[in-house]
Amino acid sequence: MIDQYHWITVCASVLMVILAVVLHYEVLARLQRFLDTTRLSKRPRILTLIFVLLLAHIAEIWLFGAGALLLLKMPELGGIAGMPEPTLFETVYLSATTYSTLGYGDITPVGNIRFLYGTEALTGLVLITWSASLTFLELQRHWRGEDDSHS
């Protein structure tokens, strides 16, 4: 039987996933419009793309880290092994290792909060792949432009 604390964890996780995906979509949509309408040369265009994508991923990591910290205010939802009072920096660090699917080593979530971190790993994998796809398309455009200039 699922108790109320499971539901709190599930609902908070779903909310954070929705916020992260919408944020990522909006950043990518605006970035693509910006790149399509500016006259940046190839190098600044690619660098702009990469830096904006990195900032979007960092914002998403902080979103999950802040959300986890709020959830950890309720001891019934679990904790982080070895840290009775985790700080924002520690939850963001754990979020970064989870989002990037780097994995745990020094700290580990316990209890219901593990659901959030499992969901974050899947979300991070999808969003990083989405960014990689956009980067590939932009680099392909960049390389085609170079090839066309030599023809």
Side-chain angles (χ1 to χ4, degrees):
M1 180 173 156
I2 297 180
D3 64 20
Q4 69 184 15
Y5 297 112
H6 288 98
W7 284 115
I8 292 169
T9 307
V10 169
C11 290
S13 298
V14 168
L15 177 62
M16 282 183 255
V17 167
I18 290 169
L19 291 172
V21 170
V22 168
L23 172 65
H24 206 77
Y25 174 83
E26 292 300 328
V27 167
L28 266 60
R30 284 171 171 67
L31 176 60
Q32 191 63 55
R33 274 195 302 271
F34 172 78
L35 292 175
D36 288 344
T37 59
T38 61
R39 293 220 179 272
L40 289 175
S41 63
K42 293 175 185 178
R43 181 171 292 155
R45 185 178 174 95
I46 298 299
L47 290 173
T48 299
L49 171 80
I50 296 301
F51 284 120
V52 170
L53 291 175
L54 282 171
L55 289 173
H57 288 292
I58 291 167
E60 292 150 9
I61 287 167
W62 277 82
L63 170 77
F64 277 101
L69 186 62
L70 288 174
L71 289 177
L72 289 169
K73 300 290 182 193
M74 298 177 69
E76 299 85 0
L77 298 182
I80 298 176
M83 280 186 210
E85 300 276 336
T87 65
L88 177 60
F89 184 76
E90 290 164 335
T91 58
V92 169
Y93 165 75
L94 182 56
S95 179
T97 62
T98 302
Y99 183 95
S100 64
T101 66
L102 177 62
Y104 312 110
D106 51 346
I107 55 178
T108 308
V110 294
N112 289 352
I113 196 79
R114 292 177 301 171
F115 181 80
L116 170 66
Y117 285 104
T119 305
E120 181 183 4
L122 176 61
T123 304
L125 178 65
V126 169
L127 297 182
I128 290 169
T129 303
W130 193 359
S131 293
S133 298
L134 178 63
T135 302
F136 173 78
L137 292 172
E138 189 59 35
L139 286 171
Q140 192 174 40
R141 179 188 293 174
H142 173 76
W143 292 324
R144 280 190 187 143
E146 281 186 357
D147 291 342
D148 291 344
S149 65
H150 295 302
S151 304

